[in-house]
Amino acid sequence: YTSGTTGRSKGAMLTHGNLLSNAVTLKDYWGWTATGGPDGRGDVLIHALPIFHVHGLFVAIHGALINGSKMIWFAKFDPKAVLAAMPRATVFMGVPTLYVRLLAEPGLTKDAAKNMRLFIAGSAPLLIETFTEWQQRTGHTILERYGMSETIMLTSNPYAADKRHAGQTERRGATVGFPLPGVGLRVVDDANKPLPVGEIGNIQVQGPNVFKGYWRMPEKTKEEFTADGWFKTGDVGKVDARDYVSIVGRSKDLIISGGYNVYPAEIEGYINDMPGVAESALVGVPHPDFGEVGVAVVIAKPGASLNPDAIVAQLKSQLANFKIPKKCFVVPELPRNTMGKVQKNLLREQYKGLFA
Ligand code: MCA
Ligand code: AMP
């Protein structure tokens, strides 16, 4: 199941073929090895991600198991524990927040990471500052990749020279690398017409890893695929002259907070149901730990008076913790365009410095 725009989860039909093709591709592309490593017995994965998401469940676990590798298993992410495990491990996977929290540990040094072979990041944009600081502190270059629950992994920066892309080896910060072998990726305009190199548009994909559709939602499935069989990711990006893909935004109204998806419509629905609320808008703003967090902006019905803390307290009794707005404002009106639609871009701009 993956989160839904309206709050109802959608079942994503991933076949064994989808899972296997992706696991085999990643085993090869990321150079998983059955020999080498600290004890000569091959790669050892530090697993510190939740296993109710594709990242921890498929990318990490399948990568290790298909290679016959050991995992050092953590029920919860604790930066000190991960640091202490590094001398016994070779591979680590994390959402950007895990890297930010590891960087806050003075013990993170070149020496602490010297047995590690590969650090992989994904699920949300990795800030270039995090990428660069990690390089300086550990001597390792994080490999950033991009995927979705519906498709598992789609693109990756190179682990080694990629012959399909002029033998390039550079792992470039702020990009998600090349489409994985077997994956087709195109950038199109709103009429599904492919755009020239360097132009920003909608990212569409196809390949043996792409799911078969949403369970019992034929209409939704039809909407999300083009007539010629490409899946619309809802991500906005570009491909440069060296074939590197970057994600520059999303067409779907989605906030990714610490690697968890928050659909504003769901949270707005709960706020709008509260007595005295006329309307609300949830927007994502930059946050040093979670990358992005939700901020709620609410307008009251005429004559009603609202308390922002009470709104947050009420949400806490209804929703999972990561969905709770980190801040709530009650304002007299929301910015709107001539069609009357709330201009979330203006709200994002207004509140972008809140947690800076
Ligand atoms: C916890 N809180 C959060 C988050 N996590 N708020 C916003 N965003 C979050 N992600 C809340 C807590 O409930 C708490 O609220 C306060 O923030 C501080 O929590 P803290 O103790 O710091 O949190 P934690 O328990 O240490 O968790 C942080 C975490 C966790 C380890 C970064 O969020 C996490 O495991 N994220 C990874 C998610 C993931 O695996 N995503 C992959 C999706 P209060 O103080 O009110 O109690 S798969 C995917 O996206 C695709 C396929 C892909 O490409 O991989
Ligand atoms: P989910 O629906 O939980 O599978 O999340 C998938 C979404 O996470 C994608 O559609 C992207 O918006 C986002 N995502 C995953 N990896 C990256 C990345 N490396 N950089 C930016 N966004 C990412």
Side-chain angles (χ1 to χ4, degrees):
Y1 282 85
T2 176
S3 24
T5 39
T6 57
R8 291 275 302 174
S9 303
K10 307 185 293 281
M13 297 187 288
L14 285 169
T15 64
H16 289 104
N18 293 147
L19 299 175
L20 181 62
S21 75
N22 213 235
V24 170
T25 299
L26 294 177
K27 173 176 168 3
D28 189 43
Y29 203 72
W30 289 344
W32 282 90
T33 162
T35 56
D39 58 5
R41 281 187 277 158
D43 277 316
V44 175
L45 173 76
I46 298 179
H47 194 306
L49 284 163
I51 51 168
F52 45 81
H53 275 292
V54 161
H55 195 164
L57 183 60
F58 297 144
V59 190
I61 295 183
H62 284 178
L65 292 187
I66 205 162
N67 191 51
S69 286
K70 189 159 114 180
M71 289 181 260
I72 302 177
W73 192 265
F74 292 102
K76 187 178 173 354
F77 172 72
D78 168 4
K80 287 195 169 50
V82 166
L83 205 51
M86 281 186 192
R88 293 179 287 133
T90 62
V91 181
F92 175 75
M93 295 187 196
V95 300
T97 300
L98 306 199
Y99 286 96
V100 170
R101 292 186 179 185
L102 280 163
L103 280 168
E105 291 296 324
L108 183 80
T109 58
K110 289 196 168 76
D111 198 46
K114 72 168 188 275
N115 279 315
M116 294 294 290
R117 177 176 73 80
L118 184 56
F119 289 96
I120 302 172
S123 302
L126 180 75
L127 292 182
I128 192 75
E129 291 80 5
T130 312
F131 175 85
T132 310
E133 202 186 334
W134 193 270
Q135 247 172 354
Q136 288 159 353
R137 288 271 296 279
T138 68
H140 286 274
T141 304
I142 297 175
L143 178 155
E144 184 171 3
R145 85 330 174 255
Y146 155 63
M148 290 181 76
S149 302
E150 289 90 335
T151 64
I152 331 172
M153 293 300 98
L154 290 165
T155 73
S156 172
N157 270 280
Y159 170 67
D162 190 327
K163 291 195 204 76
R164 300 167 312 142
H165 299 281
Q168 295 182 95
T169 52
E170 189 192 354
R171 293 179 208 158
R172 292 175 67 190
T175 84
V176 292
F178 310 127
L180 285 164
V183 173
L185 182 146
R186 66 181 191 182
V187 177
V188 300
D189 63 15
D190 288 338
N192 293 329
K193 199 169 104 345
L195 290 168
V197 167
E199 281 193 26
I200 294 172
N202 305 310
I203 297 180
Q204 299 184 342
V205 294
Q206 56 178 204
N209 51 311
V210 175
F211 77 139
K212 294 294 169 281
Y214 294 109
W215 189 53
R216 291 183 175 167
M217 295 175 108
E219 289 306 314
K220 181 79 189 155
T221 302
K222 213 168 143 204
E223 265 170 42
E224 301 303 325
F225 282 87
T226 63
D228 55 347
W230 292 77
F231 175 59
K232 304 172 187 170
T233 62
D235 292 307
V236 172
K238 60 178 181 182
V239 183
D240 71 12
R242 291 170 54 189
D243 300 341
Y244 284 82
V245 177
S246 9
I247 315 281
V248 300
R250 296 166 208 133
S251 59
K252 50 195 175 191
D253 191 12
L254 164 71
I255 298 169
I256 304 185
S257 184
Y260 285 134
N261 289 5
V262 179
Y263 278 96
E266 181 188 10
I267 289 77
E268 289 159 3
Y270 279 91
I271 300 176
N272 295 347
D273 281 346
M274 293 179 195
V277 170
E279 201 184 347
S280 65
L282 188 85
V283 292
V285 301
H287 189 273
D289 184 30
F290 293 120
E292 198 177 19
V293 294
V295 169
V297 189
V298 184
I299 44 182
K301 282 186 178 149
S305 93
L306 293 172
N307 173 348
D309 295 338
I311 293 174
V312 171
Q314 169 76 28
L315 289 174
K316 279 196 175 176
S317 70
Q318 295 173 302
L319 289 166
N321 253 330
F322 68 90
K323 294 183 181 174
I324 309 300
K326 293 277 186 261
K327 196 97 192 149
C328 176
F329 295 96
V330 176
V331 299
E333 59 188 326
L334 294 169
R336 290 173 197 280
N337 64 15
T338 47
M339 311 286 285
K341 204 170 172 255
V342 174
Q343 290 172 297
K344 288 197 166 177
N345 54 329
L346 296 184
L347 290 174
R348 276 191 285 270
E349 190 56 32
Q350 181 178 351
Y351 294 109
K352 71 176 184 202
L354 260 185
F355 303 98

